Amino acid sequence: QVQVSESGGGSVQPGGSLRLSCTTSGLTFDAFAMGWFRQAPGKEREGVSCIWKADDRITFYSASVKGRFTISKDNDKKILYLQMDNLQPSDTAMYYCAIRRSPMCSSQFTDVYTHWGQGTQVTVSS
């Protein structure tokens, strides 16, 4: 059974930083593309970032986070990260880690992701 688990959320002031982590079990960690999504109250879920399986240099970001967020993964530790800097109140949302059963992902974040975590809450306020 595949399990996905996020951690690292919390409350920060505007301009602050957080690093989210995602661990998995039940599948080969470095065999698939992975992504981060978020959903704010009353809004639809949106793609934040994704990373290819074969080439960690191939990453995509939504326009709203590009330049502030960085996705990365440690295949030895089997952890996916999302470093979030210069956080703003508009970043407040539940953040989800997701796995796509494909080695690639796209910048439109319209691909099918088959496994999802329960989410970790990020709140940015003064």
Side-chain angles (χ1 to χ4, degrees):
Q1 181 179 358
V2 177
Q3 293 187 328
V4 182
S5 179
E6 307 91 340
S7 63
S11 296
V12 296
Q13 294 184 339
S17 297
L18 285 173
R19 187 176 75 163
L20 305 184
S21 299
C22 172
T23 58
T24 67
S25 63
L27 52 73
T28 303
F29 177 82
D30 58 355
F32 308 105
M34 300 182 71
W36 288 98
F37 293 76
R38 67 185 183 186
Q39 187 167 21
K43 295 187 177 181
E44 293 186 355
R45 186 177 63 199
E46 64 172 341
V48 173
S49 181
C50 69
I51 186 167
W52 279 29
K53 165 254 180 179
D55 190 341
D56 291 1
R57 296 170 298 177
I58 300 180
T59 58
F60 297 108
Y61 299 91
S62 67
S64 61
V65 308
K66 193 170 186 179
R68 301 187 297 121
F69 290 12
T70 304
I71 190 172
S72 63
K73 58 179 181 172
D74 186 326
N75 287 328
D76 291 334
K77 294 182 179 179
K78 300 182 180 181
I79 301 176
L80 176 73
Y81 298 105
L82 183 68
Q83 177 67 41
M84 306 186 295
D85 298 317
N86 191 21
L87 283 160
Q88 301 300 316
S90 57
D91 296 315
T92 296
M94 186 71 79
Y95 283 72
Y96 299 92
C97 173
I99 299 171
R100 168 165 164 71
R101 285 200 174 268
S102 165
M104 300 177 291
C105 60
S106 68
S107 60
Q108 287 77 35
F109 301 104
T110 55
D111 309 307
V112 174
Y113 286 77
T114 53
H115 303 291
W116 295 79
Q118 293 299 308
T120 185
Q121 178 67 38
V122 172
T123 302
V124 186
S125 69
S126 55

